[in-house]
Each structure stands twice: as C-alpha cells, then as structure tokens.
Amino acid sequence: MADYDMVIAGAGIIGVSCALWARMRGLRVLLADPNPPGSGTSSGNACTLATYACLPVNDPSVLRSLPSLMLSGDSPLGVSYAHALKNPRWMLAFLANCRAAPSARIAGHLAALMEQADDGIDPLIEAAGAQDLVEARGQLNIWSTAAGAAAAEAGLQRRRALGVAWREVSPREAQAMEPGLKLPIQRAVHFHQARHLRNPQALIARMHQRFSDLGGSSVTAPVEAVQAGQDRVTVTVDGQRLSADHAVIAAGAYSGRIPGAGTADLPLGTERGYHLMFQGEAHRVTRPVGWAEGGFYAVPHADGLRLAGTVEIAGLDAPVNRQRLDYLARRGAEMLGPLPAPSSEWLGRRPTMPDSLPVLGRSARSPRLLYAFGHQHVGLTLGGLTGRLIADLAQGRDPGLDLAPFAASRRYA
Ligand SMILES: Cc1cc2nc3c(=O)[nH]c(=O)nc-3n(C[C@H](O)[C@H](O)[C@H](O)COP(=O)(O)OP(=O)(O)OC[C@H]3O[C@@H](n4cnc5c(N)ncnc54)[C@H](O)[C@@H]3O)c2cc1C
C-alpha cells in the first residue's frame, strides 16, 4: 500500500495551499481531485484577497430586508423555496446567526483569521513565482442609494473597530478612480489594503506546479472513502487503498460527500454565485469594484471584465438558474453602461456553514482526519492561512491561533 504523510481530498485554493505548505515543510503529500487544480469554485470568484471581509453575511440587516430581498424579482439574493423547505436545519441556523450578538461574535473570529491571511498566502505566491498575478490597488465599494449609503455606516465602523483599514472617498474622487462607473454614486469607500489576482486559477496552477516541482504527488481522481485507524488513515482513491498519517478533507462544498470522513452530518450548505465574462472589456474598471445594492463585483480579470457575485440558496445539484445570469447582465449594464454579449458564464458553489465560519482542525472522529472547508465568500483570501494551519497540525506544531471557534463540533446556532 502506497504510504504518505498526508493525502488531501480536493485541489481548490484550499487543498492546493495545504499541499504546497506541507510539501515546503518536507511532508510526503498526495493531492487527489477528479478535476484540474483550481477549476472549481476557486476559479470563478471575484479575484480579491479580501482581508477587509470580516463581516459575515449573517447580519441583522438580512433579517430586516429578507422579505423584500426574497420577493423582489430584481434582488442579489435568490432562494429556492423547495430547497429551503427540504433543508430547514441550515436555513434556520443561518438566520439565527443573523441576530446582533452571534453576528458580532462571528465577525471577531473572521477578523482573527483575516489578520493572518496575507502571511498565509504571500509565501505561496512567492514560492510559485506568481507576484505578476497580484495587483495592489485596493477595492472600491460603492453605494448608489442614499438609504444604502446611510445603512453602511454601522458595518464600516464595526470593521474599523476590528482593525480593518478603509478610507472614505468622495463620489467625485470615486468617479475619477473608476471613470467607467455609470451609477449615481452616493458613497464610496476604498479598502486600500485589499489586493486582487489577475487570474485566480492561474495562481493555483502555478502553486500546483511548484508543489509538483518539489516532489509532491497528484492524482486526477476523487477520494472515494477514508477510514481512520489508530495509527494510520486508509484513503481510497480511484479504487486503490493508500495509507497516510493524515487525511485532509478540502473538497469545498462537496466535503460532506466523502464516506468515512465524518462530515456527512455537519450542516455544510452552499451559497451559489455566478459570473459573466466579457472578453476585451477589462479596461472598464482598474480594480475590483463592489456595488453594494447590486450584490456583485466588477473585476479586471486577465481574460476580460468579470461580473461576479450574488447569492442563490438552491443546493449543490440544482441546475444553472438563468434568471441569476440575466440579473448580472442587466445590472452590470446599469453599473457600467452597455456591455457586449458575455463571452462566458459560470456557476460556483461557495461552501458555507450556517455561521459563516470555516471548519478548520482535527475531526472529533479521529485526530488523523483534518478538516479544511466551509470558507464561504472568502476562501481565496483564507486559503494560504488554512494551508499553513493544516501543515502545523499535521506536524504537531502549535498553530498559534485558537482553533476552537472553527471546530467541526462547535454549536452552529
Ligand atoms: C461568485 C463568487 C465570488 C467569490 N469571490 C471571492 C473573492 O473575491 N475573494 C475570496 O476570498 N473568495 C471569494 N469567493 C469564495 C471562494 O471562491 C471560495 O471560498 C473558495 O473557492 C473555496 O475553495 P475550496 O478549495 O474550498 O473549494 P473548490 O474550489 O470548489 O475546490 C474543491 C475541490 O474539491 C474537489 N472534489 C470534490 N469532491 C472530491 C472528492 N471526493 N475527492 C477529491 N476532490 C474532490 C472538486 O473537484 C474541487 O476541485 C467567491 C465565490 C463565488 C462563488
């Protein structure tokens, strides 16, 4: 039976970051995924190393505006009622966490991760020789209504109290920073410490290449089962049984579907999001611009303009919802003026626990099972740190961060 220090299920930003950190530390690692590295949710996102994003979607304002968000045909939130009725556990726990006290507690835990996020990803960017893929122009957030601008104040102050730096920008300055914006700007804020990637999948491909160059092993096949014993974990990949010191479950929104991983009963849900690409239109913005009322971002990707975002609660296996794509096209034109037909479209599945915190750490089932999933809206940002934490745990090092809030066995509401 082939023998490894670590076998990783999933080669998204999380799995590849775990693989590269562990291999740089000298561990013998096998990375398994049926799909190419970084081709899942990690490929199509809004490209931002969003260290400012410590406020969870679980916010008291969601409870106040839920009826209008759900009933409006022109909303950044879409909910399949059939899915919600079949999966009340996730939905109810998610809503319970929108109350002020849990929301504030979650923000504190996310802020603790964000503080270390750059230190997690930067060594990987350097190791992969991918500095050319990183742009440091910050992120601009804009509000187009007076009500939205006023309502943003509490959240901005909460971020500041949690150590996030931002700068108020006048509408005129925002327009000068991003002349392509066609909205009436009521308020604008520049998160100047945020960075973005010109192409997230290219970064992950280079990280994976570096992992291979360092002697890491990969297989294009799913992890079919894991079985944790006292001394080793047996991992079945493509019908073959492998032995490892540790198995890492980093299969994003699919992490609950690996038999024996102890994840099936965890309340892992998915917040689906969409993007549209417009080849040749990247010049429309010079940095990621988030339009708060629209619920999406305009991003200058290496392959063109990307409009990415929105949230749809409909489950992992539901087909693409064309209304969500039409919403992005329509509101994208409102934001940036007329756009050509999109060159491609995409549906991604954010892995989301009902408290918007990732699951990081050892399984209660066995200390040889390490969990690294549930990174919801900020997996690209937290991937590098997650990889470092998982390598620490595998080596028996102190991760230097209290992982209790991220334990799989925590209370979710
Ligand atoms: C529209 C949108 C915009 C976003 N914008 C941002 C942003 O700007 N900044 C940010 O930080 N985050 C953003 N995110 C969130 C971020 O993309 C995700 O949190 C992140 O990609 C999750 O990474 P992952 O590695 O966990 O999952 P994935 O990238 O989905 O990777 C999981 C992998 O597991 C594999 N897999 C599944 N089953 C198995 C199995 N049995 N065995 C082996 N492998 C398996 C899959 O093939 C897949 O490759 C956004 C998400 C969306 C949808």
Side-chain angles (χ1 to χ4, degrees):
M1 204 178 340
D3 194 62
Y4 296 93
D5 295 320
M6 183 187 278
V7 174
I8 302 170
I13 182 66
I14 305 298
V16 173
S17 297
C18 293
L20 185 50
W21 265 110
R23 187 64 207 136
M24 290 193 315
R25 297 262 188 92
L27 300 186
R28 292 167 305 140
V29 182
L30 176 74
L31 181 62
D33 195 312
N35 297 303
S39 62
T41 305
S42 300
S43 66
N45 49 53
C47 308
T48 310
L49 297 175
T51 46
Y52 64 86
C54 60
L55 300 187
V57 176
N58 316 72
D59 184 87
S61 64
V62 170
L63 293 177
R64 285 194 296 275
S65 50
L66 193 64
S68 60
L69 281 173
M70 284 172 64
L71 295 174
S72 161
D74 205 30
S75 157
L77 173 69
V79 179
S80 152
Y81 298 103
H83 174 78
L85 287 172
K86 263 195 266 160
N87 299 276
R89 182 182 172 205
W90 187 92
M91 206 66 201
L92 292 174
F94 185 87
L95 292 174
N97 283 311
C98 291
R99 290 168 301 149
S103 175
R105 178 181 55 77
I106 292 164
H109 295 318
L110 284 175
L113 294 177
M114 290 301 176
E115 240 175 65
Q116 299 194 29
D118 284 345
D119 290 344
I121 193 76
D122 283 346
L124 303 185
I125 292 170
E126 196 181 328
Q131 291 91 337
D132 60 303
L133 296 176
V134 185
E135 300 274 357
R137 299 178 53 78
Q139 163 158 319
L140 190 67
N141 270 21
I142 56 168
W143 289 263
S144 57
T145 63
E153 184 60 19
L156 287 167
Q157 293 309 335
R158 226 174 306 142
R159 283 189 219 260
R160 184 158 276 162
L162 288 167
V164 174
W166 54 270
R167 188 172 72 86
E168 190 86 36
V169 172
S170 70
R172 183 191 290 253
E173 189 183 349
Q175 193 70 65
M177 288 167 77
E178 296 298 340
L181 292 175
K182 303 294 181 225
L183 290 165
I185 300 173
Q186 298 288 336
R187 184 172 190 177
V189 161
H190 189 210
F191 294 104
H192 48 276
Q193 289 175 346
R195 296 173 294 166
H196 76 272
L197 301 171
R198 301 183 68 240
N199 183 340
Q201 195 172 354
L203 170 66
I204 299 167
R206 285 202 215 169
M207 286 165 50
H208 181 254
Q209 184 61 52
R210 180 67 184 145
F211 166 71
S212 304
D213 292 346
L214 290 172
S217 306
S218 301
V219 56
T220 309
V223 167
E224 289 151 352
V226 297
Q227 193 182 4
Q230 194 72 14
D231 302 323
R232 308 290 292 165
V233 192
T234 303
V235 185
T236 308
V237 182
D238 210 14
Q240 282 205 28
R241 284 158 61 82
L242 312 170
S243 165
D245 247 354
H246 291 95
V248 179
I249 308 302
Y254 297 89
S255 295
R257 292 189 173 174
I258 300 178
T263 49
D265 292 332
L266 297 176
L268 172 60
T270 179
E271 291 176 87
R272 293 148 55 107
Y274 290 84
H275 87 212
L276 293 176
M277 289 293 301
F278 300 86
Q279 209 178 4
E281 300 290 329
H283 61 274
R284 300 282 191 125
V285 284
T286 70
R287 57 173 64 74
V289 181
W291 175 21
E293 286 86 351
F296 65 90
Y297 299 84
V299 185
H301 186 280
D303 296 337
L305 171 71
R306 177 176 283 182
L307 301 181
T310 72
V311 169
E312 183 189 28
I313 310 295
L316 264 181
D317 303 315
V320 167
N321 180 345
R322 292 226 59 87
Q323 283 179 343
R324 306 310 307 158
L325 291 163
D326 293 346
Y327 170 88
L328 271 181
R330 190 171 64 253
R331 305 227 68 192
E334 217 178 300
M335 183 182 188
L336 298 165
L339 289 163
S343 41
S344 64
E345 53 190 42
W346 176 86
L347 159 66
R349 296 162 182 87
R350 302 178 186 92
T352 303
M353 308 307 288
D355 59 3
S356 293
L357 292 174
V359 177
L360 301 174
R362 297 185 195 282
S363 164
R365 178 172 286 204
S366 162
R368 297 193 173 280
L369 293 177
L370 302 177
Y371 292 158
F373 56 85
H375 292 75
Q376 40 102 5
H377 293 244
V378 288
L380 193 62
T381 310
L382 293 178
L385 172 63
T386 299
R388 202 265 289 158
L389 294 170
I390 291 295
D392 286 342
L393 293 178
Q395 292 186 299
R397 291 196 196 180
D398 175 3
L401 187 81
D402 178 15
L403 293 183
F406 314 108
S409 56
R410 67 186 183 255
R411 280 178 61 95
Y412 288 91

